[in-house]
Amino acid sequence: MRYYIGMRQFASSIIKHQNVFTRSVSCLLMAILCFIPTCAQDDSKSLQSKIESLRAQENFQVTDTVHINLLNQLGKNYRFYKTDSLLTISKQALKYSQNAEYVKGQSESYLGLGDYYSGKGERVAAINNYTKALVLSKNIEASALTLRIINNLASEYAFKGDFAKSLSNYLKGIELAEEKGELEMLSIMNENIAGLYASQKDYDQAQIFYDAVKKLNEKLGDEVNSAQTMSNLASLYADMGKLDYAMFNVNRSISIFEDNQVMDWLAYAYEIKGKVYLKQNKYQWALYWYHQGELLHENLDDDRGKIDLFNGIAEAYLGQKKDSLAQKYAMEAYEISNRINFVEGTQKCAKTLYKISKNRKEFRKALAFHEIYQEVSDTLHRKENKKSLTMLKTREEYNRQKQELIEANQIALAKQRGLIYAGIIVLIIFAIITFFIKRAEKIQKRLNTELKAKKEKLEAHEAALTDSNETKTKLFSIIGHDLRGPIGALQGLLQMFTDGEMNKSEFFEFIPKLKSDVDHIYFTLNNLLSWGNSQMNGSTTKASVFSLESIVDENINLLSELSKSKSIKIVSELSGNTLIWSDSNQIDIVVRNLISNALKFTPENGMITIKAQEKNDNWEIAVRDTGVGMDKVTVENLFKKNNNITTYGTNNEKGTGLGLSLCKEMVEKNGGTIWVESALRKGSTFFFTLPKAEDKYSQAS
């Protein structure tokens, strides 16, 4: 799937006989490669000629709006051919536009800069420039320009892997496109949303949006637009395993791109055709079409388009057992993905490199790429993305029910008006008129009451669904990110050992890592079960009198092995009369998490101290460490709602970010408060208060 940015991009062709096929395509490609420089530069040369002619005129000013518009158009033409020229021209146009106070020119210049930084993978710079362009275009109500910018901004968030923000911008663009009747941009944005669903493997929802796109394309009547949609559909069908449909669509699109000389889309179509053959395990044919796409890319400046192409070539060579060639192309695609920060590319290439390394028995590399693949997959499928796409379905359902209620109300109001008209006709009989009016009023009131009740019910249902989704996605995110990674690594190692791909000595080298991962899983599961119980079943707090000193001592013993491994000294300065009125099980969880957290962020030969001080009716307990500490921003956000911070300790110990949320919840359930004081490189002190036992115990007696 390629996202449309500014203009539509990429596709393949149908030829009936194999022998004729090879000769005709080879000849065609030679003609195309000779034609590209002329085709790509004709428009640019024409624009350059106009600019030079304008500059030669008497009294010419660089701030002339016609001059600025020509510069921006020239930069746009260089988008996929000369990106460095795009940067230079956009900066020039911006300077001239600012001097002339020409807002539209400034907006288009920022759009050009955003396109340049997008191609280079500089996400922050691209988003900043797109945002500036958007503000300016909205100020002058330039709807066509605004739609281009919104689409590019949404696509940039998609490349970044932030599908939630991407979807939000596409929906805003669709609303504006519908209002202004911009059918082409409406088609593009619906197709890009289909791409978001396809990336989450929600193929049914993706096809719903593609159906809407095909109807819009029929109204537009542009065969190139239709061919571009067919290319993306071919990619979708290939991922779904519907290879006949995929080949049919890509072959139709290729002939159109070849006729219209749409080089960038043609390169993409060849890559899709190679992908279809790869799915059929026809590696020779897959490589043939991949290499045709590679030839076209020599005349394109489009790094993002090369990633799937090179990764596909790598997979085809791997299928032919040519591991060296496979590794060469896979590494090149992986390096491009990292250079331009394209997370989907990194995910695909890491998976391919894992297969290659495993096949070559390079198990350390295989494990490293497997962990990268898992981590990036978690990022792409994080809760915000799934939640946003799910909420879109919910919103559509809500709008449908709302429309049905409005239509039902309109029908009822029409009946009411009929009753009123009948009452007016029979004015002679005053009693009858009064009866109809009162009856109409009752109907109106009842309908309004029913409508209000249904609306409130829908809103309550939506709120409950939102809360449920937040709790569920939060739980799944923790399980997916912090348990699946270590378990997946363990499973991979065991599988390689079982299959005989790794001997005992090699396997035993991983024992320390496996023990660390299992300890992490055990600790995470304890926290997860406690939190899940409190969130989903509503845990009950049962207060009683107990000695805090005994709980602290038990947890120091429990964590003694970890403290010894890092040579950290844990000192309890609690006295035997530290009696607490709280739920001992919940406070045990708090103490264990805080001491574990201190051990995690304290370097070797450090010290952890636990103290308690009487404060009126409460005990104030402090867990102080000599660790790495935190900056002011981290301290301010540490206990905020839904802000689960996941970090690594001084020895790369993993954490879920759930422990502190659990501590805060348990302390507050027992009538206390929790806070932290910290300074970088000086250590941290976590404080929490709990009720003293004296008064409570005497009342109970």
Side-chain angles (χ1 to χ4, degrees), residues 644-658:
N644 294 321
I645 299 173
T646 302
T647 54
Y648 288 83
T650 58
N651 284 354
N652 291 321
E653 302 99 325
K654 293 183 179 179
T656 64
L658 181 61

Side-chain angles (χ1 to χ4, degrees), residues 268-334:
Y268 174 60
Y270 288 159
E271 183 245 307
I272 295 303
K273 190 157 186 175
K275 176 180 176 179
V276 176
Y277 278 119
L278 182 64
K279 295 277 186 180
Q280 296 172 331
N281 297 328
K282 297 179 180 179
Y283 303 119
Q284 191 62 38
W285 279 105
L287 285 169
Y288 176 83
W289 286 103
Y290 280 136
H291 286 312
Q292 308 316 313
E294 186 179 11
L295 286 173
L296 291 182
H297 267 287
E298 292 177 1
N299 293 278
L300 297 172
D301 193 356
D302 181 21
D303 283 341
R304 192 180 295 116
K306 293 177 182 177
I307 295 171
D308 281 343
L309 176 67
F310 288 168
N311 191 61
I313 293 174
E315 289 195 71
Y317 276 129
L318 183 62
Q320 291 185 332
K321 302 188 183 305
K322 297 179 180 179
D323 294 352
S324 296
L325 285 171
Q327 188 174 48
K328 172 183 174 294
Y329 277 97
M331 280 303 301
E332 189 168 353
Y334 181 73

Side-chain angles (χ1 to χ4, degrees), residues 346-385:
T346 301
Q347 179 197 33
K348 293 177 182 177
C349 297
K351 184 177 182 181
T352 303
L353 286 165
Y354 161 71
K355 294 178 182 176
I356 295 170
S357 300
K358 181 181 175 183
N359 200 42
R360 302 181 73 173
K361 300 188 183 301
E362 296 174 352
F363 300 120
R364 289 186 181 277
K365 286 185 179 180
L367 183 60
F369 283 119
H370 185 269
E371 289 183 342
I372 291 170
Y373 169 74
Q374 289 283 13
E375 183 178 351
V376 176
S377 296
D378 290 338
T379 300
L380 287 171
H381 296 84
R382 64 182 183 271
K383 64 179 181 181
E384 290 86 354
N385 292 334

Side-chain angles (χ1 to χ4, degrees), residues 66-122:
V66 175
H67 177 239
I68 294 170
N69 289 340
L70 288 171
L71 285 175
N72 280 322
Q73 185 60 43
L74 180 60
K76 181 181 176 184
N77 278 16
Y78 285 147
R79 172 71 175 88
F80 293 103
Y81 297 95
K82 296 180 179 179
T83 55
D84 290 338
S85 298
L86 167 62
L87 176 64
T88 303
I89 291 170
S90 296
K91 284 183 175 179
Q92 274 187 351
L94 178 60
K95 179 181 176 182
Y96 299 153
S97 298
Q98 289 173 335
N99 291 338
E101 296 183 356
Y102 180 35
V103 179
K104 184 172 183 290
Q106 293 177 49
S107 179
E108 290 182 334
S109 300
Y110 279 124
L111 175 58
L113 289 171
D115 288 342
Y116 169 78
Y117 288 118
S118 174
K120 296 298 182 184
E122 298 182 29

Side-chain angles (χ1 to χ4, degrees), residues 540-594:
T540 304
T541 300
K542 298 179 180 179
S544 63
V545 177
F546 63 90
S547 172
L548 182 63
E549 182 187 21
S550 62
I551 285 181
V552 170
D553 289 341
E554 287 174 6
N555 280 285
I556 289 175
N557 291 332
L558 180 65
L559 298 169
S560 61
E561 184 178 350
L562 178 58
S563 64
K564 287 178 182 177
S565 69
K566 295 182 73 174
S567 298
I568 295 172
K569 187 176 182 181
I570 306 176
V571 178
S572 171
E573 298 183 5
L574 301 180
S575 61
N577 65 343
T578 313
L579 299 178
I580 305 294
W581 176 261
S582 299
D583 188 314
S584 59
N585 290 327
Q586 293 179 354
I587 303 308
D588 182 49
I589 291 170
V590 173
V591 171
R592 184 169 64 254
N593 272 281
L594 291 181

